[in-house]
Amino acid sequence: MGRMMPDLFLASAVSPALRDQLSARFQLHEGTPPPETRAIVGGGMSRVDAALMAQLPALEIIAIHGVGHDGIDLDAARARGIRVTTTPDVLTDDVADLAIALMLAVQRRVAVNDRVVRDGGWQVPLGRRASGRTIGIFGLGKIGMAIARRAAPFAGEIVYAARSAKQVPWRFVAGIGALAAASDVLILAAPGGADTDRAVDAAVLDALGPEGVLINIARGSLVDEEALVAALRDGRIGGAGLDVFAHEPQVPEGLRALDQVVLAPHQGSATREGRAEMAALVLANLDAQFSGRPLPTPLV
Ligand code: NAP
């Protein structure tokens, strides 16, 4: 008989390295959490609602591997005294880098040109100039700020929307419709959840316009995906760079068929460095919780 290790439920897949480190400290469970579960480790989109919490009387901490918390009922956690942690800061720069990479890839046709050359071709249509554009950022938090700082040197203007205006040198625009109308490139960097659900609908896409480009590194739930496919197909917007989708890992055929679209499989934080730092923060939060020390990055 080994010593009793606390029970931990893995609500999403984790890297082999993190799994090894977790299994040295916890009894790991997958599939269905047993009632003895004291900790949950999940991704930003794992679902831990009030009903699940009610089935887990011993649950004391939900450690999220990411910063999104769309699937976690924070009020229910608060009411039960269940702590919730995320991994902020260590992924901010990586996600912002991918947003810029997708934007440049769409405008300069990087992905489709790569496919042409691989197929032995050489003649390709012209791209569009990336510099001098008005770049609109929806959600000017940690990631949105990092995107703005990267984009500022080559943007014509940076405009943004958030719940409140910030002390920044960029122009605040109230509402996503007005933001889209002001922008050549609209970059989504706000959280998922009910408040932003399908915020980018057909009207917002029409406001972005036939030359406009949509970049989404936030959550697929922010976009009405059917409206996006239709707008791209009909040329009512110019292109899109997408790291996130409404029903991951499903990507609509209508998006996969279009050259003016660049796709990534939710890779925003997917660097070796970032993932190692995220795993270390997950462990640091769990270790703190189970040794009675203050949590490094608590959300609740
Ligand atoms: P953050 O620091 O909390 O910033 C969120 C920003 O969104 C804030 O500026 C906030 O405005 C704004 N916002 C919130 N609700 C809004 C609403 N209803 N309308 C307009 N703006 C709203 O979060 P972050 O670290 O930058 O991360 C942002 C999101 O990126 C995460 O929630 C996550 O879903 C996503 N993400 C994706 C990946 C990926 O792999 N692709 C990786 C990490 C994160 P106020 O400041 O005015 O409240």
Side-chain angles (χ1 to χ4, degrees):
M1 268 290 280
R3 71 196 162 88
M4 288 287 278
M5 295 194 288
D7 292 275
L8 181 147
F9 176 64
L10 282 176
S12 69
V14 296
S15 70
L18 178 55
R19 171 188 277 274
D20 283 352
Q21 286 172 297
L22 289 171
S23 65
R25 296 160 164 83
F26 298 96
Q27 185 67 49
L28 300 189
H29 303 274
E30 277 161 287
T32 313
E36 305 78 44
T37 297
R38 293 177 64 189
I40 294 179
V41 169
M45 289 160 72
S46 299
R47 191 156 182 78
V48 186
D49 56 17
L52 180 57
M53 290 180 211
Q55 292 166 22
L56 305 175
L59 183 61
E60 43 189 291
I61 182 167
I62 303 166
I64 300 170
H65 186 267
V67 293
H69 46 81
D70 338 9
I72 318 289
D73 188 332
L74 298 184
D75 290 333
R78 250 179 230 112
R80 267 273 308 278
I82 297 167
R83 308 301 305 274
V84 180
T85 63
T86 59
T87 62
D89 302 312
V90 296
L91 49 64
T92 300
D93 285 335
D94 291 328
V95 182
D97 288 341
L98 187 68
I100 300 295
L102 288 171
M103 177 177 73
L104 296 176
V106 171
Q107 291 163 318
R108 298 306 305 274
R109 301 176 56 88
V110 172
V112 65
N113 285 358
D114 175 88
R115 293 197 287 273
V116 168
V117 175
R118 279 169 201 269
D119 290 344
W122 199 253
Q123 300 307 319
V124 297
L126 298 175
R128 295 298 307 271
R129 177 172 288 165
S131 53
R133 302 291 180 191
T134 299
I135 296 178
I137 303 175
F138 183 64
L140 200 72
K142 289 172 187 277
I143 294 170
M145 284 288 292
I147 293 169
R149 283 194 296 268
R150 281 160 175 70
F154 62 88
E157 192 191 359
I158 305 263
V159 294
Y160 71 96
R163 287 177 296 193
S164 63
K166 319 287 171 207
Q167 296 289 338
V168 293
W170 308 304
R171 180 159 64 91
F172 176 76
V173 178
I176 190 147
L179 183 70
S183 303
D184 298 313
V185 180
L186 177 62
I187 304 183
L188 306 181
D195 290 353
T196 58
D197 189 56
R198 277 166 286 178
V200 177
D201 57 13
V204 170
L205 294 167
D206 284 333
L208 186 56
E211 307 294 330
V213 171
L214 178 73
I215 303 297
N216 191 4
I217 50 76
R219 282 287 183 265
S221 62
L222 271 73
V223 177
D224 179 338
E225 214 164 59
E226 275 179 40
L228 175 62
V229 172
L232 284 161
R233 189 192 54 218
D234 301 345
R236 285 183 288 111
I237 72 165
L242 308 170
D243 186 44
V244 289
F245 303 89
H247 307 290
E248 296 175 12
Q250 290 173 55
V251 176
E253 169 58 25
L255 291 176
R256 288 186 279 137
L258 298 171
D259 279 351
Q260 67 273 39
V261 176
V262 178
L263 305 168
H266 205 139
Q267 295 290 290
S269 66
T271 66
R272 290 209 298 252
E273 296 83 353
R275 286 292 166 85
E277 290 166 10
M278 289 164 67
L281 258 185
V282 168
L283 287 171
N285 279 297
L286 292 168
D287 285 346
Q289 175 68 20
F290 286 95
S291 59
R293 282 179 282 119
L295 303 178
T297 52
L299 189 67
V300 168

